């Protein structure tokens, strides 16, 4: 068996930091991982990991919704970056995962196909959602 964890990753705020940690946080440099992209406090990305039953990492991925007109994250500016947090991961009937996302502009659904359980599907390409259509309401009945 395996275990899947879904969460948001980011720095909540800089106010409680001191010294170099505070300076780095205010500058958007709180994430010290190699290749990490600078982002302001309060700007989140989703993190989904899968481990084996012993807790050893099988795969991990970090995602964030971006509008189809926005540049890729690596070449974006702070103004293009939005917050995403993975909240719940559910196994789907095809063996993949459905991840419910908390987005700064609402909610989202990320579908990952991993039938062999070893690697996730490629990062999805964003596509605009259709505008919701109002439910039809019954026509008013004429008064007697």
């Amino acid at each position: 068996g395996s275990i899947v964890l879904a969460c948001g990753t980011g720095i909540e705020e800089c106010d409680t930091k001191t010294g170099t940690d505070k300076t780095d946080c205010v500058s958007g440099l709180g994430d010290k991982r190699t290749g990490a992209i600078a982002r302001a406090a309060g700007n989140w990305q989703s993190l989904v990991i899968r481990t084996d039953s012993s807790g050893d990492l099988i795969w991990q991925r970090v995602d964030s919704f971006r509008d189809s007109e926005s540049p890729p994250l690596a070449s974006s500016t702070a103004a293009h970056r939005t917050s995403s947090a993975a909240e719940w991961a559910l196994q789907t009937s095809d063996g993949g995962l459905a991840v419910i996302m908390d987005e700064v502009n609402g909610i989202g659904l990320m579908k990952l196909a991993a039938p062999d359980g070893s690697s996730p599907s490629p990062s999805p390409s964003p596509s605009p959602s259709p505008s919701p259509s109002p439910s039809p309401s019954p026509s008013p009945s004429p008064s007697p």
Side-chain angles (χ1 to χ4, degrees):
S2 65
I3 299 166
V4 173
L5 168 79
C7 62
T9 179
I11 297 172
E12 189 72 33
E13 48 77 27
C14 300
D15 296 339
T16 58
K17 312 284 186 265
T18 59
T20 304
D21 287 341
K22 183 166 188 147
T23 302
D24 289 347
C25 183
V26 170
S27 301
L29 303 174
D31 187 345
K32 304 290 188 212
R33 294 173 301 143
T34 302
I37 296 182
R39 61 179 182 239
N43 188 286
W44 294 78
Q45 290 176 300
S46 70
L47 171 65
V48 181
I49 68 168
R50 175 170 259 159
T51 69
D52 63 19
S53 59
S54 299
D56 294 322
L57 183 67
I58 297 172
W59 56 258
Q60 70 178 0
R61 60 183 289 145
V62 176
D63 293 280
S64 187
F65 173 80
R66 66 179 176 81
D67 185 274
S68 60
E69 296 177 13
S70 294
L73 187 60
S75 60
S76 66
T77 64
H80 293 116
R81 298 181 193 146
T82 62
S83 285
S84 295
E87 298 290 343
W88 296 279
L90 306 108
Q91 187 169 10
T92 56
S93 61
D94 65 0
L97 295 171
V99 182
I100 310 301
M101 308 289 282
D102 179 0
E103 303 290 340
V104 71
N105 55 356
I107 63 169
L109 174 66
M110 178 170 66
K111 174 70 168 74
L112 303 176
D116 65 0
S118 61
S119 63
S121 58
S123 295
S125 298
S127 59
S129 298
S131 298
S133 53
S135 299
S137 56
S139 299
S141 300
S143 300

